[in-house]
């Protein structure tokens, strides 16, 4: 009689609704590989996924057959050539705009404030995408505008995750969100949160801006969740706070 697992497999804690549990578990093996751990032993894979080694070995046989993993001469496992092929297909069809813009629209619908996505450009930041508030009183930035990197919620986020060591940057890294009043323009308030890519690097800053009198700190949570949603769609994982 098979033993019952002492704790649920990692994949079971986030199983696909209506999906196949065995497939969820097999795919969780692929999620164990990172740029820092590109080759893993059978024991390490079993520990990461919380699946018995005998089961992991059978799953690896199927993944290896599909060229999604390969067994190295030293017995460890690494991602296979099929992953590279799929990455090329993904890169050819990927559009950052198609990922970010729907999240911006949803954030504006929820908060009724303007949402934007910024990336660094030298010593400034570029507004890459933006969805404006439906309210008549709002800031009038547009995609393509360049703003200071050392002021405003978006700039502060980009600085905090690009090596800045000041007290505000440290606070941002702890809380993974920032709420500022009058930091760039006295009449405006802003909130910002970081977005990360599949390599774990900072991909950009997601922001909400509004007139100072409309600032609602409760909007920090939907902003944080929106940034995590974009990060997940980019294949990224949020770093530990701090």
């Amino acid at each position: 009689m098979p033993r019952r697992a002492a704790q649920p497999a990692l994949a079971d804690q986030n199983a696909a609704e209506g999906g196949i549990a065995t497939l969820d578990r097999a795919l969780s093996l692929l999620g164990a590989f990172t740029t820092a751990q590109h080759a893993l032993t059978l024991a390490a894979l079993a520990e990461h996924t919380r699946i018995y080694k005998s089961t992991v070995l059978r799953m690896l046989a199927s993944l290896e057959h599909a060229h999604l993993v390969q067994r190295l001469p030293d017995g460890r496992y690494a991602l296979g050539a099929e992953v590279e092929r799929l990455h090329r297909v993904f890169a050819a069809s990927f559009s950052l705009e198609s990922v970010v813009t729907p999240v911006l629209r949803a954030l504006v619908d929820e908060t009724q404030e303007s949402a934007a996505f910024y990336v660094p450009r030298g010593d400034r930041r570029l507004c890459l995408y933006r969805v404006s508030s439906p309210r008549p009183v709002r800031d009038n930035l547009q995609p393509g505008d360049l703003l200071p990197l050392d002021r405003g919620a978006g700039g502060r986020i980009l600085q905090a995750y690009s090596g800045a060591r000041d007290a505000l940057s440290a606070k941002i890294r702890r809380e993974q969100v920032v709420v500022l009043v009058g930091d760039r323009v006295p009449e405006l308030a802003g909130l910002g949160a970081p977005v990360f890519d599949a390599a774990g690097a900072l991909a950009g800053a997601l922001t909400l801006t509004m007139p100072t009198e409309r600032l609602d700190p409760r909007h920090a949570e939907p902003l944080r969740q929106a940034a995590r949603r974009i990060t997940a769609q980019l294949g990224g994982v949020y770093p530990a706070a701090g």
Side-chain angles (χ1 to χ4, degrees):
M1 184 174 181
R3 293 176 296 163
R4 293 182 62 86
Q7 57 182 328
L10 184 65
D12 295 345
Q13 296 181 342
N14 189 30
E17 185 177 351
I20 301 171
T22 302
L23 183 56
D24 285 338
R25 293 173 187 173
L27 292 173
S28 74
L29 293 172
L30 299 179
F33 296 99
T34 66
T35 52
Q37 293 184 304
H38 55 83
L40 296 167
T41 63
L42 173 63
L45 286 165
E47 181 179 1
H48 174 85
T49 58
R50 300 201 291 266
I51 302 172
Y52 287 124
K53 284 195 286 186
S54 57
T55 304
V56 170
L57 193 60
R58 294 196 299 272
M59 291 177 174
L60 286 170
S62 293
L63 293 172
E64 190 173 5
H65 179 72
H67 305 292
L68 290 167
V69 300
Q70 57 179 319
R71 192 169 188 267
L72 303 177
D74 63 4
R76 293 182 301 165
Y77 291 87
L79 294 177
E82 180 65 8
V83 174
E84 171 61 21
R85 187 190 72 81
L86 292 173
H87 178 265
R88 290 198 301 270
V89 174
F90 170 75
S93 62
F94 177 76
S95 166
L96 182 61
E97 183 177 10
S98 69
V99 172
V100 173
T101 302
V103 177
L104 294 180
R105 290 197 186 104
L107 195 55
V108 172
D109 287 344
E110 182 174 358
T111 66
Q112 296 295 289
E113 303 297 354
S114 298
F117 183 79
Y118 292 91
V119 294
R121 284 293 182 271
D123 60 352
R124 308 182 82 182
R125 57 183 163 112
L126 170 68
C127 179
L128 203 57
Y129 309 114
R130 176 184 164 90
V131 176
S132 295
S133 166
R135 300 184 180 188
V137 179
R138 62 190 183 215
D139 64 324
N140 293 306
L141 290 174
Q142 297 297 324
D145 286 350
L146 286 167
L147 298 177
L149 194 59
D150 61 348
R151 294 192 299 279
R156 300 293 188 179
I157 289 289
L158 295 176
Q159 281 197 322
Y161 288 91
S162 299
R165 296 299 174 190
D166 58 281
L168 177 58
S169 294
K171 183 174 185 288
I172 289 171
R173 289 189 293 270
R174 286 195 307 272
E175 300 179 357
Q176 298 183 331
V177 71
V178 66
V179 180
L180 297 170
V181 176
D183 191 51
R184 179 174 63 84
V185 177
E187 296 81 11
L188 292 178
L191 301 88
V195 171
F196 300 92
D197 64 19
L202 180 70
L206 187 66
T207 69
L208 280 173
T209 54
M210 67 288 296
T212 299
E213 62 271 16
R214 288 212 307 259
L215 173 64
D216 186 346
R218 292 175 298 181
H219 288 162
E221 187 54 30
L223 177 68
R224 186 187 286 112
Q225 293 304 316
R228 288 178 177 269
R229 193 154 60 249
I230 295 174
T231 295
Q233 290 184 52
L234 295 179
V237 177
Y238 247 58

